[in-house]
Coordinates of all heavy atoms in Angstrom, one line a residue:
M10 N 5.3 14.0 4.4 CA 4.2 13.7 5.3 C 4.6 13.1 6.6 O 5.4 12.1 6.5 CB 3.2 12.8 4.5 CG 2.0 12.4 5.4 SD 0.8 11.5 4.4 CE 1.7 10.0 4.1
D11 N 4.2 13.6 7.7 CA 4.6 13.1 9.0 C 3.5 12.1 9.4 O 2.4 12.5 9.7 CB 4.7 14.2 10.0 CG 5.2 13.7 11.3 OD1 5.6 12.5 11.4 OD2 5.1 14.4 12.3
L12 N 3.8 10.8 9.4 CA 2.7 9.8 9.7 C 2.7 9.6 11.2 O 1.7 9.1 11.7 CB 3.0 8.5 9.0 CG 2.9 8.6 7.5 CD1 3.4 7.3 6.8 CD2 1.4 8.7 7.1
A13 N 3.8 9.9 11.9 CA 3.8 9.6 13.3 C 2.8 10.3 14.1 O 2.6 11.5 14.0 CB 5.2 9.9 13.8
G14 N 2.1 9.6 14.9 CA 1.1 10.2 15.8 C -0.2 10.6 15.2 O -1.0 11.3 15.8
S15 N -0.4 10.3 13.9 CA -1.6 10.7 13.2 C -2.7 9.7 13.5 O -2.5 8.5 13.8 CB -1.3 10.7 11.7 OG -0.3 11.6 11.3
A16 N -3.9 10.2 13.4 CA -5.1 9.4 13.6 C -5.3 8.5 12.3 O -4.8 8.9 11.2 CB -6.3 10.2 13.9
C17 N -5.9 7.4 12.5 CA -6.3 6.6 11.3 C -7.0 7.4 10.3 O -8.0 8.1 10.6 CB -7.2 5.4 11.8 SG -7.9 4.4 10.5
H18 N -6.6 7.3 9.0 CA -7.2 8.0 8.0 C -8.6 7.6 7.6 O -9.4 8.3 7.0 CB -6.4 7.9 6.7 CG -5.1 8.8 6.8 ND1 -4.0 8.5 6.1 CD2 -4.9 9.9 7.5 CE1 -3.1 9.5 6.3 NE2 -3.6 10.3 7.2
A19 N -9.0 6.4 8.0 CA -10.3 5.8 7.7 C -11.3 6.1 8.8 O -12.4 6.7 8.5 CB -10.2 4.3 7.4
C20 N -11.0 5.8 10.0 CA -12.0 5.9 11.0 C -11.8 7.2 11.9 O -12.7 7.7 12.5 CB -12.1 4.7 11.9 SG -10.6 4.4 12.9
G21 N -10.5 7.6 12.0 CA -10.1 8.8 12.7 C -10.3 8.6 14.2 O -10.1 9.6 15.0
R22 N -10.6 7.5 14.7 CA -10.7 7.3 16.1 C -9.5 6.7 16.8 O -9.0 7.2 17.8 CB -11.9 6.3 16.4 CG -13.3 6.9 16.1 CD -14.3 5.9 16.4 NE -14.1 4.6 15.7 CZ -14.9 3.6 15.7 NH1 -16.1 3.7 16.3 NH2 -14.6 2.5 15.1
D23 N -8.9 5.7 16.2 CA -7.7 5.1 16.7 C -6.4 5.7 16.0 O -6.5 6.3 15.0 CB -7.7 3.6 16.5 CG -8.8 3.0 17.3 OD1 -9.1 3.4 18.4 OD2 -9.5 2.1 16.7
F24 N -5.3 5.5 16.7 CA -4.1 5.9 16.1 C -3.8 5.0 14.9 O -3.9 3.8 15.0 CB -2.9 5.9 17.1 CG -2.8 7.0 18.0 CD1 -3.0 6.9 19.3 CD2 -2.7 8.3 17.5 CE1 -2.9 8.0 20.2 CE2 -2.6 9.4 18.3 CZ -2.7 9.3 19.7
G25 N -3.3 5.6 13.8 CA -2.9 4.8 12.6 C -1.6 4.2 12.9 O -0.6 4.9 13.2
T26 N -1.5 2.9 12.8 CA -0.2 2.2 13.1 C 0.3 1.5 11.9 O 1.4 0.9 11.9 CB -0.4 1.3 14.3 OG1 -1.4 0.4 14.0 CG2 -0.6 2.0 15.6
V27 N -0.6 1.3 10.9 CA -0.2 0.5 9.7 C -0.1 1.4 8.5 O -1.1 2.2 8.2 CB -1.2 -0.6 9.5 CG1 -0.8 -1.4 8.3 CG2 -1.4 -1.4 10.7
V28 N 1.0 1.4 7.8 CA 1.1 2.2 6.5 C 0.4 1.3 5.4 O 1.0 0.3 5.0 CB 2.5 2.5 6.1 CG1 2.6 3.2 4.8 CG2 3.1 3.4 7.2
D29 N -0.8 1.7 5.0 CA -1.5 0.9 4.0 C -1.0 1.2 2.6 O -0.8 2.4 2.3 CB -3.0 1.2 4.2 CG -3.8 0.5 3.1 OD1 -3.7 -0.7 2.9 OD2 -4.6 1.2 2.4
H30 N -0.9 0.2 1.8 CA -0.5 0.4 0.4 C -1.2 -0.5 -0.5 O -1.6 -1.6 -0.1 CB 1.1 0.3 0.3 CG 1.6 -1.1 0.4 ND1 1.7 -1.7 1.6 CD2 2.0 -2.0 -0.5 CE1 2.1 -2.9 1.4 NE2 2.4 -3.1 0.2
D31 N -1.2 0.0 -1.8 CA -1.8 -0.9 -2.8 C -0.9 -2.0 -3.1 O 0.3 -1.8 -3.5 CB -2.0 0.0 -4.1 CG -2.8 -0.7 -5.1 OD1 -2.3 -1.8 -5.6 OD2 -3.9 -0.3 -5.5
H32 N -1.3 -3.2 -3.0 CA -0.5 -4.4 -3.2 C 0.0 -4.6 -4.6 O 0.9 -5.3 -4.8 CB -1.1 -5.6 -2.6 CG -1.3 -5.6 -1.1 ND1 -0.5 -6.3 -0.2 CD2 -2.1 -4.9 -0.3 CE1 -0.8 -6.1 1.0 NE2 -1.8 -5.2 1.0
F33 N -0.7 -3.9 -5.5 CA -0.3 -4.1 -6.9 C 0.7 -3.1 -7.4 O 1.7 -3.4 -8.0 CB -1.5 -4.1 -7.8 CG -2.4 -5.3 -7.6 CD1 -3.6 -5.2 -6.9 CD2 -2.0 -6.6 -8.1 CE1 -4.4 -6.3 -6.7 CE2 -2.8 -7.7 -7.9 CZ -4.0 -7.5 -7.2
T34 N 0.5 -1.8 -7.0 CA 1.4 -0.7 -7.4 C 2.4 -0.4 -6.4 O 3.4 0.2 -6.7 CB 0.5 0.5 -7.7 OG1 0.0 1.0 -6.5 CG2 -0.6 0.2 -8.7
G35 N 2.2 -0.8 -5.1 CA 3.1 -0.4 -4.1 C 2.9 1.0 -3.6 O 3.7 1.5 -2.7
A36 N 2.0 1.7 -4.1 CA 1.8 3.1 -3.7 C 1.1 3.2 -2.4 O 0.2 2.4 -2.1 CB 0.9 3.8 -4.8
V37 N 1.6 4.0 -1.5 CA 1.1 4.2 -0.2 C -0.3 4.9 -0.3 O -0.4 5.9 -0.9 CB 2.0 5.0 0.7 CG1 1.3 5.4 2.0 CG2 3.3 4.2 1.0
R38 N -1.3 4.3 0.4 CA -2.7 4.9 0.3 C -3.0 5.8 1.5 O -3.7 6.7 1.4 CB -3.7 3.8 0.2 CG -3.6 3.1 -1.1 CD -4.8 2.1 -1.3 NE -4.8 1.1 -0.3 CZ -5.4 -0.1 -0.5 NH1 -5.9 -0.4 -1.7 NH2 -5.4 -1.0 0.4
G39 N -2.4 5.4 2.7 CA -2.7 6.2 3.9 C -2.3 5.4 5.1 O -1.6 4.4 5.0
L40 N -2.7 6.0 6.2 CA -2.4 5.4 7.5 C -3.6 4.8 8.1 O -4.7 5.5 8.2 CB -1.8 6.5 8.4 CG -1.1 6.1 9.7 CD1 0.2 5.3 9.3 CD2 -0.7 7.3 10.5
L41 N -3.6 3.6 8.6 CA -4.7 2.9 9.1 C -4.4 2.4 10.5 O -3.3 2.0 10.8 CB -5.2 1.7 8.2 CG -5.7 2.1 6.8 CD1 -6.0 0.8 6.1 CD2 -6.9 2.9 6.9
C42 N -5.5 2.3 11.3 CA -5.3 1.5 12.6 C -5.4 0.0 12.2 O -5.8 -0.4 11.1 CB -6.4 1.9 13.6 SG -8.1 1.4 13.1
T43 N -5.1 -0.8 13.2 CA -5.1 -2.2 12.9 C -6.4 -2.7 12.5 O -6.5 -3.6 11.6 CB -4.6 -3.0 14.2 OG1 -3.4 -2.3 14.7 CG2 -4.3 -4.4 13.9
H44 N -7.5 -2.2 13.2 CA -8.8 -2.7 12.9 C -9.2 -2.4 11.5 O -9.7 -3.3 10.7 CB -9.8 -2.0 13.9 CG -11.2 -2.3 13.5 ND1 -11.8 -3.5 13.7 CD2 -12.2 -1.5 12.9 CE1 -13.1 -3.5 13.3 NE2 -13.3 -2.3 12.8
C45 N -9.0 -1.2 11.0 CA -9.3 -0.8 9.6 C -8.5 -1.6 8.6 O -9.0 -2.1 7.6 CB -9.1 0.7 9.4 SG -10.4 1.7 10.3
N46 N -7.2 -1.7 9.0 CA -6.3 -2.5 8.0 C -6.8 -3.9 7.8 O -6.7 -4.5 6.7 CB -4.9 -2.4 8.6 CG -3.9 -3.1 7.6 OD1 -3.8 -2.6 6.5 ND2 -3.2 -4.1 8.1
N47 N -7.3 -4.5 8.9 CA -7.7 -5.9 8.8 C -9.0 -6.1 8.1 O -9.4 -7.2 7.7 CB -7.8 -6.5 10.2 CG -6.4 -6.7 10.9 OD1 -5.4 -6.8 10.1 ND2 -6.4 -6.8 12.2
N48 N -9.8 -5.0 8.1 CA -11.2 -5.1 7.6 C -11.5 -4.3 6.3 O -12.5 -4.6 5.6 CB -12.2 -4.7 8.6 CG -12.2 -5.7 9.8 OD1 -12.8 -6.7 9.7 ND2 -11.5 -5.3 10.9
I49 N -10.6 -3.4 5.9 CA -11.0 -2.5 4.8 C -11.1 -3.3 3.5 O -11.9 -2.9 2.6 CB -9.9 -1.4 4.7 CG1 -10.5 -0.2 3.9 CG2 -8.6 -1.9 4.2 CD1 -9.7 1.1 4.1
D50 N -10.3 -4.3 3.3 CA -10.4 -5.1 2.1 C -11.7 -5.9 2.0 O -12.0 -6.4 0.9 CB -9.2 -6.0 1.9 CG -7.9 -5.2 1.6 OD1 -8.0 -4.1 1.0 OD2 -6.8 -5.7 1.9
K51 N -12.4 -6.1 3.1 CA -13.6 -6.8 3.1 C -14.8 -5.9 2.9 O -16.0 -6.4 2.9 CB -13.7 -7.6 4.4 CG -12.6 -8.6 4.6 CD -12.6 -9.1 6.1 CE -11.3 -9.8 6.4 NZ -11.1 -9.8 7.9
C52 N -14.6 -4.7 2.8 CA -15.7 -3.7 2.7 C -16.5 -4.0 1.4 O -15.9 -4.0 0.3 CB -15.2 -2.3 2.7 SG -16.4 -1.1 2.2
P53 N -17.8 -4.3 1.4 CA -18.5 -4.6 0.2 C -19.2 -3.4 -0.4 O -19.8 -3.5 -1.4 CB -19.6 -5.5 0.8 CG -19.9 -5.0 2.2 CD -18.6 -4.4 2.7
H54 N -19.0 -2.2 0.1 CA -19.6 -1.0 -0.4 C -18.9 -0.3 -1.5 O -17.6 -0.4 -1.5 CB -19.9 0.0 0.8 CG -20.5 -0.7 2.0 ND1 -19.9 -0.8 3.2 CD2 -21.7 -1.4 2.1 CE1 -20.6 -1.5 4.1 NE2 -21.7 -1.8 3.4
L55 N -19.6 0.4 -2.3 CA -19.0 1.2 -3.3 C -18.8 2.7 -2.9 O -17.9 3.4 -3.4 CB -19.8 1.2 -4.6 CG -19.9 -0.1 -5.3 CD1 -20.9 -0.1 -6.5 CD2 -18.5 -0.6 -5.8
S56 N -19.6 3.1 -1.9 CA -19.5 4.5 -1.4 C -20.3 4.6 -0.1 O -20.9 3.6 0.3 CB -20.1 5.5 -2.4 OG -21.5 5.2 -2.7
A57 N -20.4 5.8 0.4 CA -21.1 6.0 1.7 C -20.7 5.1 2.8 O -21.5 4.7 3.6 CB -22.6 5.9 1.4
C58 N -19.4 4.8 2.9 CA -18.9 4.0 3.9 C -17.5 4.6 4.1 O -16.8 5.0 3.1 CB -18.8 2.6 3.5 SG -17.7 1.6 4.5
R59 N -17.0 4.6 5.4 CA -15.7 5.3 5.6 C -14.6 4.5 4.9 O -13.6 5.1 4.4 CB -15.4 5.4 7.1 CG -15.3 4.1 7.8 CD -14.9 4.3 9.3 NE -14.8 3.1 10.0 CZ -15.7 2.5 10.8 NH1 -16.9 3.1 10.9 NH2 -15.5 1.4 11.4
W60 N -14.7 3.2 4.8 CA -13.7 2.4 4.1 C -13.8 2.6 2.6 O -12.7 2.7 1.9 CB -13.8 0.9 4.5 CG -13.4 0.7 5.9 CD1 -12.5 1.4 6.6 CD2 -13.9 -0.4 6.8 NE1 -12.3 0.8 7.9 CE2 -13.2 -0.2 8.0 CE3 -14.8 -1.4 6.6 CZ2 -13.4 -1.1 9.1 CZ3 -15.0 -2.2 7.7 CH2 -14.3 -2.1 8.9
A61 N -15.0 2.6 2.1 CA -15.2 2.9 0.6 C -14.6 4.2 0.2 O -14.0 4.4 -0.8 CB -16.6 2.7 0.2
D62 N -14.9 5.2 1.1 CA -14.5 6.6 0.8 C -12.9 6.6 0.8 O -12.3 7.3 0.0 CB -15.0 7.6 1.9 CG -16.5 7.8 1.7 OD1 -17.0 7.5 0.7 OD2 -17.1 8.3 2.7
Y63 N -12.4 5.9 1.7 CA -10.9 5.9 1.8 C -10.3 5.3 0.6 O -9.4 5.8 0.0 CB -10.5 5.1 3.1 CG -9.0 4.8 3.2 CD1 -8.2 5.6 3.9 CD2 -8.5 3.6 2.6 CE1 -6.8 5.3 4.0 CE2 -7.2 3.4 2.7 CZ -6.3 4.2 3.4 OH -5.0 3.9 3.5
L64 N -10.9 4.1 0.1 CA -10.4 3.4 -1.0 C -10.6 4.2 -2.3 O -9.8 4.2 -3.2 CB -11.0 2.0 -1.1 CG -10.6 1.1 0.0 CD1 -11.4 -0.2 -0.1 CD2 -9.1 0.7 -0.1
N65 N -11.7 5.0 -2.4 CA -12.0 5.7 -3.5 C -11.1 6.9 -3.7 O -10.7 7.3 -4.9 CB -13.5 6.3 -3.5 CG -14.5 5.2 -3.7 OD1 -14.2 4.1 -4.4 ND2 -15.7 5.3 -3.2
S66 N -10.7 7.5 -2.6 CA -9.7 8.6 -2.7 C -8.7 8.5 -1.6 O -8.9 9.1 -0.5 CB -10.4 9.9 -2.7 OG -11.2 10.1 -1.5
P67 N -7.7 7.6 -1.8 CA -6.7 7.4 -0.7 C -6.1 8.7 -0.3 O -5.6 9.4 -1.1 CB -5.7 6.4 -1.4 CG -6.5 5.8 -2.5 CD -7.5 6.8 -3.0
P68 N -6.0 8.9 1.0 CA -5.5 10.2 1.5 C -4.1 10.5 1.1 O -3.7 11.7 1.0 CB -5.6 10.1 3.1 CG -6.6 9.0 3.3 CD -6.5 8.1 2.1
A69 N -3.3 9.5 1.0 CA -1.9 9.8 0.7 C -1.5 9.5 -0.7 O -0.3 9.6 -1.1 CB -1.0 8.9 1.6
E70 N -2.5 9.1 -1.6 CA -2.1 8.7 -2.9 C -1.5 9.8 -3.7 O -0.5 9.6 -4.5 CB -3.4 8.3 -3.7 CG -3.2 7.7 -5.0 CD -4.5 7.2 -5.7 OE1 -5.4 8.0 -5.7 OE2 -4.6 6.1 -6.1
H71 N -1.9 11.1 -3.5 CA -1.4 12.2 -4.3 C 0.1 12.5 -4.0 O 0.8 13.2 -4.7 CB -2.2 13.5 -4.1 CG -2.2 14.0 -2.7 ND1 -2.8 13.4 -1.7 CD2 -1.5 15.0 -2.2 CE1 -2.6 14.1 -0.5 NE2 -1.8 15.1 -0.8
L72 N 0.5 12.0 -2.8 CA 1.9 12.2 -2.4 C 2.9 11.4 -3.2 O 4.1 11.7 -3.3 CB 2.1 11.9 -0.9 CG 1.3 12.9 0.0 CD1 1.3 12.4 1.4 CD2 1.8 14.3 -0.1
G73 N 2.4 10.3 -3.8 CA 3.2 9.5 -4.7 C 4.3 8.7 -3.9 O 5.4 8.5 -4.5
I74 N 4.0 8.4 -2.7 CA 5.0 7.6 -1.9 C 4.9 6.2 -2.2 O 3.8 5.6 -2.3 CB 4.8 7.9 -0.4 CG1 4.8 9.3 -0.1 CG2 5.8 7.1 0.4 CD1 4.3 9.6 1.4
R75 N 6.0 5.5 -2.4 CA 6.0 4.1 -2.6 C 6.3 3.4 -1.2 O 7.1 3.8 -0.5 CB 7.0 3.7 -3.6 CG 6.5 4.2 -5.0 CD 7.5 3.6 -6.1 NE 7.4 2.2 -6.1 CZ 6.5 1.5 -6.8 NH1 5.6 2.1 -7.4 NH2 6.5 0.2 -6.8
H76 N 5.6 2.3 -1.0 CA 5.8 1.6 0.3 C 7.2 1.0 0.3 O 7.7 0.5 -0.7 CB 4.8 0.5 0.4 CG 4.7 -0.2 1.7 ND1 5.5 -1.2 2.1 CD2 4.0 0.1 2.8 CE1 5.3 -1.5 3.3 NE2 4.3 -0.7 3.8
P77 N 7.9 1.1 1.5 CA 9.3 0.6 1.6 C 9.4 -0.8 1.1 O 10.4 -1.2 0.5 CB 9.6 0.7 3.1 CG 8.7 1.8 3.6 CD 7.4 1.7 2.7
D78 N 8.4 -1.7 1.4 CA 8.5 -3.1 1.0 C 8.5 -3.2 -0.5 O 9.3 -4.1 -1.0 CB 7.3 -3.9 1.6 CG 7.5 -4.1 3.1 OD1 8.6 -3.7 3.7 OD2 6.6 -4.6 3.8
A79 N 7.7 -2.4 -1.1 CA 7.6 -2.5 -2.6 C 8.9 -2.1 -3.2 O 9.4 -2.7 -4.2 CB 6.5 -1.7 -3.1
T80 N 9.5 -1.0 -2.7 CA 10.8 -0.5 -3.2 C 11.9 -1.6 -3.0 O 12.7 -1.8 -3.9 CB 11.2 0.8 -2.4 OG1 10.1 1.7 -2.5 CG2 12.4 1.4 -3.1
K81 N 11.8 -2.2 -1.9 CA 12.8 -3.2 -1.6 C 12.7 -4.4 -2.5 O 13.7 -4.9 -3.1 CB 12.6 -3.7 -0.1 CG 13.9 -4.3 0.5 CD 13.8 -4.4 2.0 CE 12.5 -5.1 2.5 NZ 12.3 -5.0 3.9
A82 N 11.5 -4.8 -2.8 CA 11.3 -5.9 -3.7 C 11.7 -5.6 -5.1 O 12.3 -6.4 -5.8 CB 9.8 -6.3 -3.7
R83 N 11.5 -4.4 -5.5 CA 11.9 -3.9 -6.9 C 13.4 -3.9 -7.0 O 13.9 -4.4 -7.9 CB 11.3 -2.5 -7.2 CG 10.0 -2.6 -7.9 CD 9.3 -1.3 -7.8 NE 10.2 -0.2 -8.1 CZ 10.2 0.4 -9.3 NH1 9.4 0.0 -10.2 NH2 11.0 1.5 -9.5
S84 N 14.1 -3.3 -6.0 CA 15.5 -3.2 -6.1 C 16.2 -4.5 -6.0 O 17.2 -4.8 -6.6 CB 16.1 -2.2 -5.1 OG 15.9 -2.7 -3.8
W85 N 15.6 -5.4 -5.2 CA 16.1 -6.7 -5.1 C 16.2 -7.4 -6.4 O 17.2 -8.0 -6.8 CB 15.3 -7.5 -4.1 CG 15.8 -8.9 -3.9 CD1 16.9 -9.4 -3.2 CD2 15.3 -10.1 -4.6 NE1 17.1 -10.7 -3.3 CE2 16.1 -11.2 -4.2 CE3 14.3 -10.3 -5.5 CZ2 15.9 -12.5 -4.6 CZ3 14.1 -11.6 -5.9 CH2 14.9 -12.7 -5.5
S86 N 15.1 -7.4 -7.1 CA 15.0 -8.1 -8.4 C 16.0 -7.4 -9.4 O 16.6 -8.1 -10.3 CB 13.6 -8.1 -9.0 OG 13.1 -6.9 -9.3
K87 N 16.1 -6.1 -9.3 CA 17.0 -5.3 -10.2 C 18.4 -5.8 -9.9 O 19.2 -6.0 -10.8 CB 16.8 -3.8 -10.0 CG 17.6 -3.0 -11.0 CD 17.1 -1.5 -10.9 CE 18.1 -0.6 -11.4 NZ 19.1 -0.2 -10.5
D88 N 18.8 -5.9 -8.6 CA 20.1 -6.3 -8.3 C 20.4 -7.7 -8.8 O 21.5 -8.0 -9.3 CB 20.3 -6.3 -6.7 CG 20.4 -4.9 -6.2 OD1 20.5 -4.0 -7.0 OD2 20.3 -4.8 -5.0
R89 N 19.4 -8.6 -8.7 CA 19.6 -9.9 -9.1 C 19.8 -10.0 -10.7 O 20.6 -10.8 -11.1 CB 18.3 -10.8 -8.8 CG 18.5 -12.2 -9.0 CD 17.3 -13.0 -8.6 NE 16.1 -12.6 -9.2 CZ 14.9 -13.2 -9.1 NH1 14.8 -14.3 -8.4 NH2 13.9 -12.7 -9.7
I90 N 19.0 -9.2 -11.4 CA 19.2 -9.1 -12.8 C 20.6 -8.7 -13.2 O 21.3 -9.3 -14.1 CB 18.2 -8.2 -13.5 CG1 16.8 -8.8 -13.4 CG2 18.5 -7.9 -14.9 CD1 15.6 -7.9 -13.6
E91 N 21.1 -7.7 -12.5 CA 22.5 -7.2 -12.8 C 23.5 -8.3 -12.4 O 24.5 -8.5 -13.1 CB 22.8 -6.0 -11.9 CG 22.2 -4.7 -12.6 CD 22.3 -3.5 -11.7 OE1 22.9 -3.6 -10.6 OE2 21.7 -2.5 -12.1
L92 N 23.2 -9.0 -11.4 CA 24.2 -10.1 -10.9 C 24.2 -11.2 -12.0 O 25.2 -11.7 -12.3 CB 23.7 -10.6 -9.6 CG 24.7 -11.5 -8.8 CD1 25.8 -10.7 -8.3 CD2 24.0 -12.2 -7.6
M93 N 23.0 -11.6 -12.5 CA 22.9 -12.7 -13.4 C 23.3 -12.2 -14.8 O 23.7 -13.1 -15.7 CB 21.5 -13.2 -13.5 CG 21.1 -13.9 -12.1 SD 19.4 -14.3 -12.1 CE 19.3 -15.6 -13.3
G94 N 23.2 -11.0 -15.1 CA 23.6 -10.5 -16.4 C 22.5 -10.5 -17.4 O 22.7 -10.1 -18.6
F95 N 21.4 -11.0 -17.0 CA 20.2 -11.0 -17.9 C 18.9 -11.1 -17.1 O 19.0 -11.4 -15.9 CB 20.2 -12.2 -18.9 CG 20.0 -13.5 -18.2 CD1 18.8 -14.1 -18.2 CD2 21.1 -14.2 -17.6 CE1 18.6 -15.4 -17.5 CE2 20.9 -15.4 -16.9 CZ 19.6 -16.0 -16.9
D96 N 17.8 -10.7 -17.8 CA 16.5 -10.7 -17.1 C 15.9 -12.0 -17.2 O 15.5 -12.4 -18.3 CB 15.7 -9.6 -17.7 CG 14.4 -9.4 -16.9 OD1 14.1 -10.3 -16.0 OD2 13.7 -8.4 -17.1
P97 N 15.7 -12.8 -16.1 CA 15.1 -14.1 -16.2 C 13.6 -14.1 -16.5 O 13.0 -15.1 -16.8 CB 15.4 -14.8 -14.9 CG 15.5 -13.6 -14.0 CD 16.1 -12.5 -14.8
F98 N 13.0 -12.9 -16.4 CA 11.6 -12.8 -16.6 C 11.3 -11.7 -17.7 O 10.7 -10.7 -17.4 CB 10.9 -12.4 -15.3 CG 11.1 -13.4 -14.2 CD1 11.9 -13.0 -13.1 CD2 10.7 -14.7 -14.3 CE1 12.2 -13.9 -12.1 CE2 10.9 -15.6 -13.3 CZ 11.7 -15.2 -12.2
P99 N 11.8 -11.9 -18.9 CA 11.6 -10.8 -19.9 C 10.2 -10.7 -20.2 O 9.4 -11.6 -20.2 CB 12.4 -11.4 -21.1 CG 12.5 -12.8 -20.9 CD 12.4 -13.1 -19.4
K100 N 9.8 -9.4 -20.5 CA 8.5 -9.1 -21.0 C 8.2 -9.7 -22.3 O 9.1 -9.8 -23.2 CB 8.2 -7.6 -21.0 CG 8.5 -6.9 -19.7 CD 7.2 -6.5 -19.0 CE 7.4 -5.7 -17.8 NZ 8.3 -6.3 -16.8
G101 N 7.0 -10.3 -22.5 CA 6.7 -10.8 -23.8 C 6.6 -9.8 -24.9 O 6.5 -8.6 -24.6
P102 N 6.5 -10.2 -26.1 CA 6.5 -9.2 -27.2 C 5.1 -8.5 -27.3 O 4.2 -9.0 -26.7 CB 6.6 -10.1 -28.5 CG 6.2 -11.5 -28.0 CD 6.6 -11.6 -26.6
Ligands
ZN211 ZN1 -9.3 3.0 11.8
ZN212 ZN1 -18.1 -0.6 3.8

């Protein structure tokens, strides 16, 4: 997916400059302009709103791209576990 020069996936008016991603899964949801990125999480609607529509079916979700920051955080903790020789945060039973 070529994100460069694309319009904002939510409003389509401004250029998308922010790669929006789900903060829990790290999955990239789409490309947003600064305005949408700052306000989309405050959208109170379930549907019939450009932000709600975007969140309900993220334009880039099917591509399965993970946000670079999320990948970095994951590999960093993996490196640390290898360095220490054990997992300091083992999953509970
Ligand atoms: Zn926008
Ligand atoms: Zn809304």
Side-chain angles (χ1 to χ4, degrees):
M10 179 172 64
D11 184 14
L12 291 170
S15 300
C17 170
H18 283 154
C20 68
R22 289 181 307 187
D23 295 320
F24 280 120
T26 55
V27 182
V28 178
D29 174 52
H30 69 285
D31 188 302
H32 290 256
F33 292 103
T34 66
V37 170
R38 292 189 298 207
L40 194 65
L41 293 177
C42 67
T43 311
H44 172 74
C45 288
N46 185 58
N47 287 340
N48 292 281
I49 198 164
D50 286 334
K51 299 167 196 156
C52 169
H54 312 116
L55 293 175
S56 62
C58 165
R59 62 176 185 265
W60 288 331
D62 289 345
Y63 171 94
L64 291 171
N65 286 337
S66 58
E70 189 179 50
H71 66 284
L72 297 171
I74 304 171
R75 292 185 61 83
H76 192 272
D78 285 356
T80 308
K81 203 162 55 187
R83 265 161 50 97
S84 66
W85 178 81
S86 67
K87 186 165 159 279
D88 288 348
R89 188 177 57 171
I90 290 167
E91 278 170 10
L92 193 70
M93 294 170 69
F95 68 98
D96 187 348
F98 306 111
K100 302 255 187 305

